[in-house]
Amino acid sequence: MELAYAGLQQLCAPFIDRLERLPGPQRDALGTAFGLRHGDAPDRFSVGLAALSLLSDAAEEQPLVVSWTTCSGSTQPRRRRWRSSRAAWGQSRWAGRR
């Protein structure tokens, strides 16, 4: 089973009540991607634009910070180690300059 938009749905869940504020095509794309509406699989760019619009709408009322990292399942541990070691190296270099 593929859950293409599961992570995006979790990110947008607190703001799903704002879905009706989106323009029709965006509202339909996001609603279909999240299983709230019936229809053909939406274009991924439409879903992305709808998610961005939804988060932008929420950010108008209060500050919003989103941090997103993607890794494929087969290389995730290796990438995570590389990022950690790279971040530690950068921090040690930065600390030495102070």
Side-chain angles (χ1 to χ4, degrees), residues 38-51:
H38 294 287
D40 295 331
D43 175 52
R44 64 185 173 147
F45 296 109
S46 298
V47 173
L49 179 61

Side-chain angles (χ1 to χ4, degrees), residues 21-61:
R21 297 182 187 184
L22 298 178
Q26 291 180 26
R27 180 177 54 242
D28 293 341
L30 206 56
T32 304
F34 292 168
L36 303 173
R37 290 181 164 67
H38 294 287
D40 295 331
D43 175 52
R44 64 185 173 147
F45 296 109
S46 298
V47 173
L49 179 61
L52 181 61
S53 296
L54 188 68
L55 295 173
S56 296
D57 182 60
E60 287 182 8
E61 292 181 16

Side-chain angles (χ1 to χ4, degrees), residues 14-88:
F15 314 111
I16 206 69
D17 59 325
R18 300 168 183 266
L19 192 63
E20 297 304 319
R21 297 182 187 184
L22 298 178
Q26 291 180 26
R27 180 177 54 242
D28 293 341
L30 206 56
T32 304
F34 292 168
L36 303 173
R37 290 181 164 67
H38 294 287
D40 295 331
D43 175 52
R44 64 185 173 147
F45 296 109
S46 298
V47 173
L49 179 61
L52 181 61
S53 296
L54 188 68
L55 295 173
S56 296
D57 182 60
E60 287 182 8
E61 292 181 16
Q62 64 183 13
L64 179 67
V65 175
V66 176
S67 177
W68 194 274
T69 302
T70 59
C71 293
S72 69
S74 61
T75 60
Q76 186 173 0
R78 182 173 56 231
R79 286 186 181 181
R80 208 178 263 164
R81 276 195 307 271
W82 183 85
R83 286 184 183 146
S84 298
S85 63
R86 194 74 176 151

